[in-house]
PDB file of all heavy atoms in Angstrom:
ATOM      1  N   ALA U 559       4.826  10.618   0.276  1.00 93.00           N
ATOM      2  CA  ALA U 559       4.340   9.191   0.137  1.00 93.00           C
ATOM      3  C   ALA U 559       4.900   8.426   1.407  1.00 93.00           C
ATOM      4  O   ALA U 559       5.871   8.642   1.908  1.00 93.00           O
ATOM      5  CB  ALA U 559       5.012   8.593  -1.104  1.00 93.00           C
ATOM      6  N   SER U 560       3.958   7.554   1.792  1.00 88.00           N
ATOM      7  CA  SER U 560       4.369   6.617   2.858  1.00 88.00           C
ATOM      8  C   SER U 560       3.979   5.249   2.444  1.00 88.00           C
ATOM      9  O   SER U 560       3.003   4.988   1.577  1.00 88.00           O
ATOM     10  CB  SER U 560       3.726   7.054   4.245  1.00 88.00           C
ATOM     11  OG  SER U 560       2.367   7.015   4.083  1.00 88.00           O
ATOM     12  N   GLY U 561       4.564   4.261   3.086  1.00 81.00           N
ATOM     13  CA  GLY U 561       4.271   2.804   2.740  1.00 81.00           C
ATOM     14  C   GLY U 561       5.528   2.225   2.270  1.00 81.00           C
ATOM     15  O   GLY U 561       6.157   2.778   1.419  1.00 81.00           O
ATOM     16  N   ARG U 562       5.701   1.018   2.558  1.00 65.00           N
ATOM     17  CA  ARG U 562       6.954   0.365   2.252  1.00 65.00           C
ATOM     18  C   ARG U 562       7.040   0.018   0.858  1.00 65.00           C
ATOM     19  O   ARG U 562       8.209  -0.347   0.317  1.00 65.00           O
ATOM     20  CB  ARG U 562       7.097  -0.855   3.127  1.00 65.00           C
ATOM     21  CG  ARG U 562       5.969  -1.991   2.821  1.00 65.00           C
ATOM     22  CD  ARG U 562       6.129  -3.200   3.720  1.00 65.00           C
ATOM     23  NE  ARG U 562       5.163  -4.236   3.426  1.00 65.00           N
ATOM     24  CZ  ARG U 562       5.302  -5.205   2.528  1.00 65.00           C
ATOM     25  NH1 ARG U 562       6.538  -5.231   1.783  1.00 65.00           N
ATOM     26  NH2 ARG U 562       4.479  -6.037   2.410  1.00 65.00           N
ATOM     27  N   THR U 563       6.051   0.144   0.053  1.00 63.00           N
ATOM     28  CA  THR U 563       6.091  -0.223  -1.431  1.00 63.00           C
ATOM     29  C   THR U 563       6.190   0.928  -2.273  1.00 63.00           C
ATOM     30  O   THR U 563       5.990   0.824  -3.522  1.00 63.00           O
ATOM     31  CB  THR U 563       4.861  -1.011  -1.834  1.00 63.00           C
ATOM     32  OG1 THR U 563       3.690  -0.180  -1.458  1.00 63.00           O
ATOM     33  CG2 THR U 563       4.745  -2.301  -1.067  1.00 63.00           C
ATOM     34  N   PHE U 564       6.569   2.151  -1.752  1.00 71.00           N
ATOM     35  CA  PHE U 564       6.695   3.369  -2.494  1.00 71.00           C
ATOM     36  C   PHE U 564       7.944   3.102  -3.598  1.00 71.00           C
ATOM     37  O   PHE U 564       7.761   3.618  -4.717  1.00 71.00           O
ATOM     38  CB  PHE U 564       6.971   4.492  -1.709  1.00 71.00           C
ATOM     39  CG  PHE U 564       7.286   5.769  -2.484  1.00 71.00           C
ATOM     40  CD1 PHE U 564       6.343   6.423  -3.180  1.00 71.00           C
ATOM     41  CD2 PHE U 564       8.661   6.361  -2.499  1.00 71.00           C
ATOM     42  CE1 PHE U 564       6.585   7.587  -3.865  1.00 71.00           C
ATOM     43  CE2 PHE U 564       8.945   7.444  -3.156  1.00 71.00           C
ATOM     44  CZ  PHE U 564       7.916   8.026  -3.915  1.00 71.00           C
ATOM     45  N   SER U 565       8.802   2.313  -3.201  1.00 79.00           N
ATOM     46  CA  SER U 565      10.053   2.171  -4.048  1.00 79.00           C
ATOM     47  C   SER U 565       9.622   1.689  -5.373  1.00 79.00           C
ATOM     48  O   SER U 565       8.839   0.649  -5.588  1.00 79.00           O
ATOM     49  CB  SER U 565      10.953   1.191  -3.360  1.00 79.00           C
ATOM     50  OG  SER U 565      12.006   0.930  -4.234  1.00 79.00           O
ATOM     51  N   GLY U 566      10.137   2.369  -6.475  1.00 89.00           N
ATOM     52  CA  GLY U 566      10.011   1.880  -7.870  1.00 89.00           C
ATOM     53  C   GLY U 566       8.799   2.463  -8.535  1.00 89.00           C
ATOM     54  O   GLY U 566       8.639   2.267  -9.759  1.00 89.00           O
ATOM     55  N   TYR U 567       7.965   3.275  -7.859  1.00 93.00           N
ATOM     56  CA  TYR U 567       6.786   3.871  -8.464  1.00 93.00           C
ATOM     57  C   TYR U 567       7.112   5.194  -9.218  1.00 93.00           C
ATOM     58  O   TYR U 567       7.851   6.023  -8.763  1.00 93.00           O
ATOM     59  CB  TYR U 567       5.660   4.191  -7.330  1.00 93.00           C
ATOM     60  CG  TYR U 567       4.824   3.016  -6.952  1.00 93.00           C
ATOM     61  CD1 TYR U 567       5.239   2.034  -6.020  1.00 93.00           C
ATOM     62  CD2 TYR U 567       3.726   2.755  -7.711  1.00 93.00           C
ATOM     63  CE1 TYR U 567       4.513   0.966  -5.731  1.00 93.00           C
ATOM     64  CE2 TYR U 567       2.872   1.581  -7.371  1.00 93.00           C
ATOM     65  CZ  TYR U 567       3.261   0.820  -6.336  1.00 93.00           C
ATOM     66  OH  TYR U 567       2.548  -0.291  -6.148  1.00 93.00           O
ATOM     67  N   ALA U 568       6.473   5.309 -10.314  1.00 96.00           N
ATOM     68  CA  ALA U 568       6.434   6.617 -11.007  1.00 96.00           C
ATOM     69  C   ALA U 568       5.386   7.431 -10.375  1.00 96.00           C
ATOM     70  O   ALA U 568       4.449   6.949  -9.836  1.00 96.00           O
ATOM     71  CB  ALA U 568       6.094   6.368 -12.495  1.00 96.00           C
ATOM     72  N   MET U 569       5.488   8.740 -10.408  1.00 97.00           N
ATOM     73  CA  MET U 569       4.509   9.587  -9.826  1.00 97.00           C
ATOM     74  C   MET U 569       3.902  10.604 -10.695  1.00 97.00           C
ATOM     75  O   MET U 569       4.655  11.114 -11.639  1.00 97.00           O
ATOM     76  CB  MET U 569       5.223  10.343  -8.627  1.00 97.00           C
ATOM     77  CG  MET U 569       5.665   9.441  -7.523  1.00 97.00           C
ATOM     78  SD  MET U 569       4.465   8.450  -6.752  1.00 97.00           S
ATOM     79  CE  MET U 569       3.515   9.840  -6.036  1.00 97.00           C
ATOM     80  N   GLY U 570       2.640  10.759 -10.705  1.00 98.00           N
ATOM     81  CA  GLY U 570       1.986  11.712 -11.604  1.00 98.00           C
ATOM     82  C   GLY U 570       1.148  12.747 -10.932  1.00 98.00           C
ATOM     83  O   GLY U 570       0.937  12.643  -9.710  1.00 98.00           O
ATOM     84  N   TRP U 571       0.932  13.770 -11.638  1.00 98.00           N
ATOM     85  CA  TRP U 571       0.049  14.870 -11.156  1.00 98.00           C
ATOM     86  C   TRP U 571      -1.060  15.123 -12.130  1.00 98.00           C
ATOM     87  O   TRP U 571      -0.758  15.047 -13.416  1.00 98.00           O
ATOM     88  CB  TRP U 571       0.847  16.278 -11.085  1.00 98.00           C
ATOM     89  CG  TRP U 571       1.774  16.370  -9.833  1.00 98.00           C
ATOM     90  CD1 TRP U 571       3.157  15.963  -9.874  1.00 98.00           C
ATOM     91  CD2 TRP U 571       1.457  16.674  -8.578  1.00 98.00           C
ATOM     92  NE1 TRP U 571       3.673  16.137  -8.604  1.00 98.00           N
ATOM     93  CE2 TRP U 571       2.627  16.641  -7.783  1.00 98.00           C
ATOM     94  CE3 TRP U 571       0.293  17.140  -7.891  1.00 98.00           C
ATOM     95  CZ2 TRP U 571       2.741  16.912  -6.398  1.00 98.00           C
ATOM     96  CZ3 TRP U 571       0.408  17.376  -6.559  1.00 98.00           C
ATOM     97  CH2 TRP U 571       1.607  17.260  -5.809  1.00 98.00           C
ATOM     98  N   PHE U 572      -2.213  15.132 -11.580  1.00 98.00           N
ATOM     99  CA  PHE U 572      -3.455  15.353 -12.380  1.00 98.00           C
ATOM    100  C   PHE U 572      -4.283  16.472 -11.678  1.00 98.00           C
ATOM    101  O   PHE U 572      -3.946  16.841 -10.571  1.00 98.00           O
ATOM    102  CB  PHE U 572      -4.239  14.056 -12.361  1.00 98.00           C
ATOM    103  CG  PHE U 572      -3.586  13.032 -13.075  1.00 98.00           C
ATOM    104  CD1 PHE U 572      -2.662  12.099 -12.411  1.00 98.00           C
ATOM    105  CD2 PHE U 572      -3.941  12.683 -14.367  1.00 98.00           C
ATOM    106  CE1 PHE U 572      -2.051  11.117 -12.974  1.00 98.00           C
ATOM    107  CE2 PHE U 572      -3.293  11.581 -15.067  1.00 98.00           C
ATOM    108  CZ  PHE U 572      -2.440  10.840 -14.307  1.00 98.00           C
ATOM    109  N   ARG U 573      -5.171  17.027 -12.462  1.00 98.00           N
ATOM    110  CA  ARG U 573      -5.896  18.220 -11.894  1.00 98.00           C
ATOM    111  C   ARG U 573      -7.383  17.951 -12.518  1.00 98.00           C
ATOM    112  O   ARG U 573      -7.618  17.453 -13.510  1.00 98.00           O
ATOM    113  CB  ARG U 573      -5.364  19.578 -12.213  1.00 98.00           C
ATOM    114  CG  ARG U 573      -5.418  19.867 -13.745  1.00 98.00           C
ATOM    115  CD  ARG U 573      -4.697  21.204 -13.952  1.00 98.00           C
ATOM    116  NE  ARG U 573      -4.674  21.634 -15.379  1.00 98.00           N
ATOM    117  CZ  ARG U 573      -3.989  22.575 -15.899  1.00 98.00           C
ATOM    118  NH1 ARG U 573      -3.241  23.314 -15.066  1.00 98.00           N
ATOM    119  NH2 ARG U 573      -4.051  22.927 -17.076  1.00 98.00           N
ATOM    120  N   GLN U 574      -8.342  18.568 -11.615  1.00 98.00           N
ATOM    121  CA  GLN U 574      -9.720  18.616 -12.003  1.00 98.00           C
ATOM    122  C   GLN U 574     -10.313  19.952 -11.695  1.00 98.00           C
ATOM    123  O   GLN U 574     -10.446  20.369 -10.521  1.00 98.00           O
ATOM    124  CB  GLN U 574     -10.474  17.446 -11.332  1.00 98.00           C
ATOM    125  CG  GLN U 574     -11.844  17.346 -11.819  1.00 98.00           C
ATOM    126  CD  GLN U 574     -12.522  15.992 -11.302  1.00 98.00           C
ATOM    127  OE1 GLN U 574     -12.122  15.424 -10.389  1.00 98.00           O
ATOM    128  NE2 GLN U 574     -13.643  15.666 -11.988  1.00 98.00           N
ATOM    129  N   ALA U 575     -10.755  20.601 -12.717  1.00 97.00           N
ATOM    130  CA  ALA U 575     -11.320  21.869 -12.540  1.00 97.00           C
ATOM    131  C   ALA U 575     -12.885  21.702 -12.453  1.00 97.00           C
ATOM    132  O   ALA U 575     -13.388  20.625 -12.862  1.00 97.00           O
ATOM    133  CB  ALA U 575     -11.124  22.835 -13.762  1.00 97.00           C
ATOM    134  N   PRO U 576     -13.588  22.716 -11.794  1.00 93.00           N
ATOM    135  CA  PRO U 576     -15.042  22.426 -11.623  1.00 93.00           C
ATOM    136  C   PRO U 576     -15.794  22.198 -12.925  1.00 93.00           C
ATOM    137  O   PRO U 576     -15.567  22.945 -13.840  1.00 93.00           O
ATOM    138  CB  PRO U 576     -15.527  23.868 -11.041  1.00 93.00           C
ATOM    139  CG  PRO U 576     -14.202  24.420 -10.321  1.00 93.00           C
ATOM    140  CD  PRO U 576     -13.007  23.913 -11.180  1.00 93.00           C
ATOM    141  N   GLY U 577     -16.524  21.172 -12.969  1.00 95.00           N
ATOM    142  CA  GLY U 577     -17.392  20.885 -14.131  1.00 95.00           C
ATOM    143  C   GLY U 577     -16.565  20.255 -15.254  1.00 95.00           C
ATOM    144  O   GLY U 577     -17.169  20.019 -16.340  1.00 95.00           O
ATOM    145  N   LYS U 578     -15.248  19.912 -15.016  1.00 97.00           N
ATOM    146  CA  LYS U 578     -14.495  19.201 -16.046  1.00 97.00           C
ATOM    147  C   LYS U 578     -13.917  17.871 -15.506  1.00 97.00           C
ATOM    148  O   LYS U 578     -13.983  17.655 -14.371  1.00 97.00           O
ATOM    149  CB  LYS U 578     -13.335  20.161 -16.404  1.00 97.00           C
ATOM    150  CG  LYS U 578     -13.780  21.466 -17.132  1.00 97.00           C
ATOM    151  CD  LYS U 578     -12.561  22.210 -17.548  1.00 97.00           C
ATOM    152  CE  LYS U 578     -12.964  23.547 -18.236  1.00 97.00           C
ATOM    153  NZ  LYS U 578     -11.746  24.305 -18.794  1.00 97.00           N
TER     154      LYS U 578
END
Side-chain angles (χ1 to χ4, degrees):
S560 61
R562 63 182 181 89
T563 60
F564 174 72
S565 176
Y567 276 90
M569 298 298 295
W571 286 96
F572 295 81
R573 66 187 182 186
Q574 187 168 21
K578 296 186 177 181

